[in-house]
């Protein structure tokens, strides 16, 4: 990276800088004229200079000048104006100059602001581009939070300075010099006073600000380290809780914050000392002007108009001068920041940019072997992981790598996938050095999965198809305002040195996955998910999700058919009592009181279970026939019995998992609330407390909790309240609830709730599992299995995939690797979260899946259990970083080497 910020800025913006400097130079003309005009107004029409009599006139806007060898040339004789009219004319000219100067400033500031933001965009992109080109070992030495902080925050000041880098000194220096020259032209001594003060400010203030720069650098470094430390805490929160080190982390953070506070306090003290001195020097000059200038005016050596003009000019001198000094400090400060960023991002052995060039062409297959020649790999401490290993894997070959704990098989797999770089020797593909091949080849023809996969924030579908997003496969057609916006984006990207790739384009390479387009991609994905035993997991996620009715119209259109088929299946299995359906005009005993009152799915928070009791309209519905009082008494009874039964249990007791109306954390709060409400009449209870107690009754299910509180009378009152609720539903709440309808799909409810259209009974412990099995059977019978599984692919996996289990993340990573249909599939202990039986089951299915459709990729699998090596054509055995055995399972098992020992363990 370019180490000089000024050179970096000039290299990328010299055309814009030249243009704006020309504008700055032109702006000095009206700026100088605005200084001279007050003197003309005071000396001319106000004091009467040149107007000897009331009828005297003077030319206005007379354009004339003397040309050598030619003489006096007059282009325009001007207008002859009286004293009063001259005052008016000169005043309007002054106003005109104010407007012109303001427009110049507006244009210059806007232009340099846009220029700065473009360069900031360029710098940030270049930094992220370099991160994408870091060698693998670099990521073991940097903290992700620190890199993110540098890209986001530390280069932010550069954007504000870049626009000012050349324009600001030219503009401010030009304004200050113009004011100073004007003062000198009016009176030499007044000009010398201003010049001396200016010289003192320019020399002393920057020297004092050097300490500010040093403190600012320390503040930046400590803030970056704090960001990295906080990132470590977030990533390692599990270890912190397990080992009870939260207070140690608090101590460390408190110490770091104290150090930052000291630096910032010192910085503020010195900053305001410098500001005080600067302001003092700025105010001394007017004092000298009034003193010396007044004396000269009394002596007649300076007229009043000159003195007024000098004082007016000096008012415009401290501002540019102060800003110029601030600019110099900012220049030094951002240069330091820039140097620090450059140091962090100037990495040896950076991946060449040509390796990552965009290519929409599908590369040909790797028809030659993937080989290692005298390969040696070291860890960060310099210890050898792999030492002088030579081998080759031919296309179509299945190879198992079996390794002791220090064998080095894992490191070899990473090297074959280009995730680690050799210390010596090399890895080749078809005879070409793997590090020299474009990623458009290695990223598509070689696939890799491990036991430590990373999932990006987004949906399952996004992560599953991530390995197919190599290049935009087609252009998006934009119309109207969207087309204009896209045209602007392309132009701005070019001005900022960014690529103009369209993120809205379809980046999925369907052909490499064996599909013709998005319509049949699901049919390619399904067998891959089945091969890694992930189909059932994703299907259950789909059942528990609500769907986009526009994307999945088949499920919506066939919901009545689904419900009917489900009832028939339940009857056939003798399980008709396992699900109690919702029926208009009836109370569902297996649903909560709140669900029976609403008889619909809430689409917004206004009528959600937590907010329902406090909703004013709903409260009025309950109060219409005194149901609020009944539910309040029921809630009090439920809360009292819960506190009595569970009050002495620890918060982690499994009984709390069975409570739907109160958590272990809420138990003490309700205990205090019961004491507060003890003996109070219903009318004396506040609306807030009343709503909290009634909310407890909303979660009550009689067959589940069996407190004997739900009577026939209460159920009839609930049904009556439900009818009143919908009859008087106000307009602002009509979109907040979607009523249950046996003939319609309820978009706000989950898929399984729509299919069941009721609630599962609580009289069988395995009821939910049996129901899910039956629902899946119905979906298969009606050929909607794929559709609901597609719904599950829209499940958001969370940050780093944390909403999925470790086993699910590992399975998804293997599926992602298989889906690319690469020539070489490298699997580095990919399923460690599963037991041996599950691993072997999936291994067999994966080997079968990758051979489907007459494909013959090479498979390299680092095994966690040597016994599974019998499924492969060839076995490589590693020990202490060396390849110690190479052969078939039968030959190695017949010998007396390390492999036989590993198999017997």
């Amino acid at each position: 990276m370019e180490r000089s910020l000024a050179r970096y800025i000039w290299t990328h913006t010299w055309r814009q800088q030249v243009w704006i400097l020309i504008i700055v130079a032109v702006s000095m003309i009206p700026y100088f004229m605005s200084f001279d005009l007050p003197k003309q107004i005071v000396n001319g029409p106000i004091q009467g200079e040149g107007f000897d009599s009331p009828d005297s006139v003077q030319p206005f806007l007379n354009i004339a000048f003397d040309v050598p060898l030619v003489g006096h040339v007059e282009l325009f004789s001007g207008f002859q104006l009286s004293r009063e009219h001259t005052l008016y004319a000169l005043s309007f000219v002054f106003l005109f100059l104010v407007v012109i100067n303001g427009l110049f400033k507006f244009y210059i500031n806007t232009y340099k602001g846009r220029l700065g933001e473009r360069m900031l965009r360029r710098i940030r992109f270049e930094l992220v581009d370099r991160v994408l080109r870091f060698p693998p070992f670099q990521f073991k030495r940097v903290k992700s939070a620190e890199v993110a902080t540098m890209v986001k925050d530390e280069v932010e000041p550069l954007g504000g300075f870049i626009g000012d880098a050349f324009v600001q000194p030219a503009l401010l220096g030009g304004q200050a010099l113009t004011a100073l020259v004007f003062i000198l032209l009016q009176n030499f001594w007044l000009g010398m006073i201003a010049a001396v003060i200016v010289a003192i400010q320019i020399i002393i203030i920057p020297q004092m600000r050097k300490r500010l720069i040093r403190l600012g650098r320390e503040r930046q470094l400590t803030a970056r380290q704090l960001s990295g430390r906080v990132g470590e805490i977030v990533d390692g929160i599990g270890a912190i809780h397990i080992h009870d080190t939260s207070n140690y982390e608090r101590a460390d953070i408190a110490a770091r914050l104290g150090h930052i506070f000291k630096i910032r306090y010192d910085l503020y003290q010195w900053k305001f000392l410098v500001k005080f001195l600067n302001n003092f020097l700025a105010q001394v000059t007017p004092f000298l002007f009034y003193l010396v200038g007044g004396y000269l005016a009394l002596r007649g050596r300076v007229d009043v108009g000159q003195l007024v003009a000098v004082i007016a000019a000096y008012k415009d001198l401290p501002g540019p001068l102060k800003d110029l000094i601030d600019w110099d400090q900012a220049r030094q400060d951002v240069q330091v920041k820039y140097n620090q960023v450059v140091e962090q991002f100037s990495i040896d052995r950076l991946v060449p940019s040509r390796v990552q060039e965009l290519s929409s062409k599908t590369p040909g297959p790797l028809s030659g072997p993937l080989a290692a020649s005298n390969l040696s790999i070291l860890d960060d401490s310099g210890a050898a992981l792999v030492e002088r290993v030579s081998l080759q894997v031919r296309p179509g070959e299945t190879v198992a790598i079996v390794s002791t704990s220090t064998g080095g098989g894992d490191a070899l797999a990473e090297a074959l996938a280009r995730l680690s770089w050799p210390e010596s020797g090399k890895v080749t593909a078809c005879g070409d050095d793997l590090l020299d091949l474009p990623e458009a080849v290695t990223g598509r023809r070689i696939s890799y999965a491990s036991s430590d996969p990373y999932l990006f924030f987004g949906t399952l579908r996004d992560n599953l198809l991530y390995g197919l997003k190599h290049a935009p496969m087609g252009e998006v057609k934009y119309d109207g305002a969207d087309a204009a916006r896209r045209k602007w984006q392309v132009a701005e990207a070019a001005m900022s040195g960014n690529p103009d790739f369209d993120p809205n384009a379809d980046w999925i390479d369907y052909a490499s996955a064996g599909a013709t387009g998005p319509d049949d991609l699901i049919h390619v994905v399904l067998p891959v998910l089945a091969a890694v035993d992930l189909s059932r997991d994703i299907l259950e996620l789909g059942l528990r999700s609500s769907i986009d009715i526009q994307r999945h119209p088949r499920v919506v259109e066939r919901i009545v058919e689904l419900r009917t088929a489900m009832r028939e299946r339940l009857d056939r299995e003798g399980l008709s009592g396992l699900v109690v359906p919702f029926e208009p005009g009836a109370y569902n005993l297996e649903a909560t009181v709140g669900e029976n009152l609403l008889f619909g799915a809430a689409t917004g928070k206004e009528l959600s279970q937590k907010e329902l009791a406090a909703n004013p309209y709903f409260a009025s519905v309950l109060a219409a026939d005194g149901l609020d009082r009944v539910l309040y008494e029921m809630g009090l009874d439920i809360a009292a019995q819960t506190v009595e039964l569970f009050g002495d249990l620890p918060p982690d007791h499994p009984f709390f998992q069975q409570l739907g109306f109160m958590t272990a954390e809420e138990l003490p709060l309700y205990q205090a609330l019961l004491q507060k409400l003890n003996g109070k009449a219903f009318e004396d209870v506040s609306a807030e407390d009343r709503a909290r107690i009634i909310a407890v009754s909303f979660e009550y299910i009689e067959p589940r909790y069996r407190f004997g509180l739900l009577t026939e009378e209460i159920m009839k009152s609930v049904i009556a309240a439900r009818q009143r609720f919908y009859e008087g539903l106000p307009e602002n709440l009509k979109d907040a609830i979607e009523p249950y309808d046996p003939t319609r799909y309820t978009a706000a409810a989950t898929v399984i709730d729509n299919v069941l259209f009721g609630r599962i009974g609580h009289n069988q412990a395995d009821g939910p599992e049996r129901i899910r099995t039956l629902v899946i059977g119905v979906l298969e019978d009606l050929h909607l299995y794929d559709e609901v599984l597609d719904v599950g692919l829209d499940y958001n996996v969370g940050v780093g995939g944390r909403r999925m289990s470790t086993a699910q993340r590992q399975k998804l990573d293997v599926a992602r690797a298989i889906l690319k249909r690469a020539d070489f599939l490298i699997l580095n202990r990919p399923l460690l979260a599963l037991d041996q039986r599950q691993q072997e089951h999936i291994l067999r299915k994966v080997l079968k899946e990758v051979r489907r459709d007459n494909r013959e990729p090479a498979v390299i699998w680092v095994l966690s259990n040597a016994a599974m090596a019998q499924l492969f054509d060839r076995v490589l055995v590693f020990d202490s970083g060396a390849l110690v055995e190479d052969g078939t399972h039968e030959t190695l098992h017949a010998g007396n080497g390390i492999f036989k020992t590993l198999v017997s363990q």
Side-chain angles (χ1 to χ4, degrees):
M1 294 182 68
E2 175 58 60
R3 293 192 172 274
S4 170
L5 179 60
R7 191 179 298 115
Y8 177 83
I9 296 170
W10 184 258
T11 299
H12 295 291
T13 64
W14 68 270
R15 291 182 179 85
Q16 293 86 350
Q17 300 288 358
V18 169
W19 166 253
I20 199 64
L21 288 174
I22 292 173
I23 298 297
V24 168
V26 173
S27 72
M28 292 299 108
I29 299 173
Y31 187 70
F32 182 88
M33 293 172 63
S34 67
F35 288 146
D36 190 61
L37 205 55
K39 182 185 74 173
Q40 295 183 33
I41 293 174
V42 171
N43 289 342
I46 293 179
Q47 291 194 338
E49 184 179 309
F51 295 96
D52 300 329
S53 65
D55 298 329
S56 297
V57 294
Q58 283 190 357
F60 175 71
L61 292 183
N62 174 238
I63 303 174
F65 45 86
D66 295 325
V67 180
L69 302 179
V70 176
H72 186 74
V73 177
E74 185 176 70
L75 299 179
F76 182 58
S77 60
F79 303 100
Q80 300 298 319
L81 300 180
S82 64
R83 181 175 177 178
E84 182 177 349
H85 289 159
T86 300
L87 174 64
Y88 297 155
L90 290 176
S91 298
F92 277 106
V93 170
F94 181 80
L95 179 62
F96 175 74
L97 290 176
V98 169
V99 174
I100 292 298
N101 286 325
L103 290 175
F104 268 114
K105 287 182 179 179
F106 174 77
Y107 179 81
I108 292 169
N109 288 330
T110 303
Y111 192 91
K112 71 181 184 181
R114 182 175 60 183
L115 186 63
E117 289 302 316
R118 280 176 179 163
M119 283 298 292
L120 177 61
R121 177 180 174 180
R122 178 188 290 272
I123 290 174
R124 281 177 168 160
F125 178 81
E126 287 188 10
L127 295 182
V128 175
D129 177 74
R130 293 182 78 84
V131 170
L132 292 170
R133 293 166 53 202
F134 277 0
F137 56 80
Q138 183 64 25
F139 293 101
K140 299 177 182 178
R141 304 174 183 176
V142 298
K143 299 176 182 176
S144 58
E146 291 188 10
V147 173
T149 298
M150 284 187 280
V151 174
K152 175 181 176 292
D153 296 327
E154 293 190 18
V155 299
E156 181 76 25
L158 272 61
F161 175 79
I162 286 171
D164 295 337
F166 297 98
V167 177
Q168 199 74 342
L171 177 62
L172 298 174
Q175 291 177 343
L177 186 61
T178 300
L180 190 59
V181 168
F182 179 81
I183 294 172
L184 281 168
L185 291 176
Q186 307 312 306
N187 184 273
F188 175 78
W189 295 110
L190 293 178
M192 289 305 297
I193 290 172
V196 169
I197 297 297
V198 167
I200 293 173
Q201 286 180 285
I202 290 177
I203 294 171
I204 294 178
I205 300 301
Q207 291 297 319
M208 294 184 68
R209 283 184 166 171
K210 286 183 178 180
R211 186 162 185 257
L212 286 177
I213 295 171
R214 180 178 61 79
L215 290 171
R217 186 187 311 123
E218 291 180 15
R219 178 181 63 176
Q220 178 180 331
L221 288 173
T222 52
R224 183 195 304 166
Q225 291 166 359
L226 176 67
S227 176
R229 195 70 185 86
V230 172
E232 280 188 323
I233 290 174
V234 173
D235 293 338
I237 193 67
I240 291 171
H241 290 324
I242 288 171
H243 300 294
D244 185 27
T245 56
S246 58
N247 289 305
Y248 169 77
E249 299 297 342
R250 289 187 179 97
D252 181 65
I253 293 298
R256 290 174 184 270
L257 292 175
H259 183 51
I260 293 174
F261 168 77
K262 183 180 183 303
I263 293 172
R264 294 175 71 92
Y265 182 66
D266 290 346
L267 189 147
Y268 285 139
Q269 281 188 309
W270 194 253
K271 175 182 177 181
F272 288 113
L273 175 62
V274 172
K275 188 174 183 179
F276 164 75
L277 182 59
N278 196 33
N279 290 338
F280 174 74
L281 291 174
Q283 295 303 318
V284 163
T285 308
F287 161 75
L288 293 175
F289 277 1
Y290 286 123
L291 180 64
V292 178
Y295 173 80
L296 294 176
L298 292 176
R299 295 294 181 178
R301 296 170 62 182
V302 175
D303 59 49
V304 176
Q306 286 178 314
L307 183 58
V308 170
V310 166
I311 294 174
Y314 183 74
K315 284 183 179 180
D316 283 348
L317 182 59
L321 192 62
K322 177 180 178 299
D323 291 341
L324 193 60
I325 295 171
D326 290 341
W327 171 87
D328 183 64
Q329 180 192 354
R331 178 188 63 80
Q332 298 179 58
D333 192 31
V334 297
Q335 181 63 56
V336 170
K337 288 182 170 66
Y338 181 75
N339 287 341
Q340 290 177 341
V341 172
V342 168
E343 288 173 6
Q344 293 294 324
F345 284 82
S346 295
I347 307 299
D348 294 334
R349 301 178 69 187
L350 203 67
V351 176
S353 57
R354 59 177 173 76
V355 171
Q356 295 182 343
E357 286 181 354
L358 182 76
S359 175
S360 56
K361 295 181 179 179
T362 302
L366 295 177
S367 55
L370 186 64
S373 303
N374 292 319
L375 182 68
S376 294
I377 305 171
L378 305 181
D379 64 12
D380 286 343
S381 67
L385 299 175
V386 173
E387 193 168 5
R388 304 184 65 81
V389 168
S390 295
L391 59 87
Q392 64 174 228
V393 179
R394 294 179 296 278
E397 191 175 18
T398 60
V399 178
I401 295 179
V402 178
S403 176
T404 61
S405 58
T406 59
D410 307 70
L412 174 66
E414 291 180 353
L416 294 177
R418 203 158 75 172
L419 288 179
S420 64
W421 287 7
E423 182 65 23
S424 63
K426 62 181 179 179
V427 177
T428 60
C430 300
D432 297 319
D433 192 326
L434 199 66
L435 298 183
D436 293 333
L437 286 174
E439 286 188 2
V441 174
T442 61
R444 305 182 199 191
R445 308 318 307 172
I446 299 175
S447 200
Y448 177 86
S450 72
S451 60
D452 187 27
Y454 185 85
L455 302 185
F456 294 92
F457 182 84
T459 66
L460 264 166
R461 189 192 314 277
D462 294 334
N463 282 279
L464 180 64
L465 303 180
Y466 187 76
L468 303 176
K469 298 179 180 181
H470 313 299
M473 305 308 292
E475 295 184 0
V476 180
K477 293 182 179 180
Y478 295 99
D479 298 317
D482 292 335
R485 189 182 303 109
R486 177 58 187 160
K487 184 178 180 181
W488 177 87
Q489 289 172 348
V490 171
E492 279 300 314
M495 294 292 290
S496 304
N498 288 193
D500 60 357
F501 308 145
D502 187 358
N504 297 321
D506 191 351
W507 286 67
I508 299 174
D509 185 359
Y510 298 102
S512 68
T516 58
D519 295 335
D520 67 338
L521 182 62
I522 187 65
H523 302 301
V524 175
V525 167
L526 286 175
V528 173
L529 296 177
V532 296
D533 282 353
L534 198 57
S535 302
R536 179 66 179 260
D537 295 343
I538 297 178
L539 185 72
E540 290 193 359
L541 292 175
L543 289 174
R544 298 198 301 267
S545 304
S546 55
I547 70 171
D548 182 345
I549 60 176
Q550 302 298 326
R551 284 189 55 191
H552 303 281
R554 291 182 62 211
V555 179
V556 176
E557 292 167 359
R558 301 183 66 184
I559 189 59
V560 176
E561 187 180 355
L562 271 168
R563 289 170 181 167
T564 303
M566 186 63 194
R567 295 307 307 173
E568 291 175 353
R569 177 67 69 91
L570 286 169
D571 292 340
R572 191 162 59 247
E573 298 287 339
L575 298 173
S576 56
L578 192 55
V579 176
V580 179
F582 288 121
E583 296 179 7
Y587 189 97
N588 190 316
L589 276 172
E590 300 294 347
T592 66
V593 173
E595 288 173 331
N596 275 282
L597 281 165
L598 281 182
F599 200 73
T603 59
K605 65 178 183 179
E606 297 92 341
L607 296 176
S608 64
Q609 290 280 36
K610 291 185 178 180
E611 304 290 335
L612 188 59
N615 184 273
Y617 170 70
F618 195 77
S620 67
V621 171
L622 297 182
D625 65 351
L627 184 58
D628 56 347
R629 182 188 295 270
V630 174
L631 294 178
Y632 174 80
E633 297 295 336
M634 179 188 290
L636 279 178
D637 203 343
I638 295 171
Q641 292 193 52
T642 303
V643 168
E644 182 180 353
L645 292 172
F646 302 104
D648 297 330
L649 296 179
D652 59 348
H653 198 283
F655 280 179
F656 285 109
Q657 298 175 9
Q658 307 301 319
L659 290 181
F661 46 76
M662 194 179 301
T663 64
E665 292 75 17
E666 292 174 332
L667 194 65
L669 301 177
Y670 276 100
Q671 191 170 14
L673 184 60
L674 288 173
Q675 293 176 356
K676 175 183 176 183
L677 301 178
N678 187 26
K680 273 192 176 184
F682 176 76
E683 293 78 7
D684 299 332
V685 178
S686 67
E688 182 181 354
D689 290 341
R690 193 182 301 170
R692 290 178 64 186
I693 294 297
I694 292 176
V696 174
S697 68
F698 284 170
E699 300 289 342
Y700 184 71
I701 304 172
E702 183 62 52
R704 179 178 181 180
Y705 301 114
R706 301 180 184 279
F707 287 174
L709 300 175
L710 196 63
T711 64
E712 287 290 337
E713 185 179 350
I714 294 177
M715 290 190 284
K716 290 179 181 178
S717 298
V718 167
I719 296 170
R722 177 200 302 170
Q723 185 175 352
R724 287 197 307 274
F725 171 78
Y726 281 106
E727 287 175 352
L729 192 65
E731 286 294 328
N732 65 317
L733 290 180
K734 285 186 176 178
D735 293 332
I737 184 74
E738 191 175 0
Y740 290 143
D741 187 337
T743 64
R744 292 179 62 250
Y745 190 94
T746 307
T750 64
V751 174
I752 194 167
D753 283 347
N754 269 283
V755 175
L756 297 180
F757 196 68
R759 287 291 177 262
I760 302 173
H762 292 85
N763 56 344
Q764 293 191 35
D766 61 344
E769 179 61 32
R770 297 178 71 179
I771 287 297
R772 280 196 298 271
T773 302
L774 291 176
V775 169
I776 292 171
V778 169
L779 292 174
E780 290 175 339
D781 292 344
L782 298 182
H783 307 291
L784 290 173
Y785 181 96
D786 297 358
E787 193 82 22
V788 177
L789 190 141
D790 193 50
V791 174
L793 288 174
D794 291 327
Y795 178 78
N796 193 301
V797 300
V799 178
R802 292 177 183 171
R803 295 186 68 198
M804 301 183 70
S805 68
T806 303
Q808 289 174 330
R809 292 199 297 270
Q810 291 177 353
K811 290 178 182 179
L812 183 61
D813 193 36
V814 174
R816 178 165 58 186
I818 297 172
L819 197 59
K820 285 203 300 187
R821 298 194 172 194
D823 299 321
F824 289 88
L825 177 62
I826 303 169
L827 299 164
N828 191 357
R829 305 182 194 267
L831 302 169
L832 283 181
L834 306 180
D835 59 40
Q836 182 180 343
R837 182 188 59 79
Q838 291 175 309
Q839 287 189 45
E840 183 173 345
H841 175 67
I842 293 177
L843 189 152
R844 290 178 182 274
K845 291 170 62 175
V846 167
L847 291 177
K848 182 179 179 181
E849 170 61 25
V850 298
R851 292 275 190 270
R852 193 164 56 85
D853 298 333
N854 298 319
R855 290 179 286 126
E856 291 188 357
V859 179
I860 305 169
W861 198 307
V862 182
L863 298 175
S864 56
N865 189 291
M868 293 186 287
Q870 60 182 327
L871 301 174
F872 293 83
D873 302 333
R874 179 179 166 201
V875 181
L876 304 178
V877 183
F878 282 81
D879 182 38
S880 300
L883 175 60
V884 294
E885 296 181 36
D886 182 355
T888 65
H889 177 272
E890 291 76 12
T891 57
L892 294 182
H893 194 268
N896 293 316
I898 293 177
F899 178 72
K900 187 172 183 179
T901 304
L902 291 173
V903 171
S904 63
Q905 289 179 352

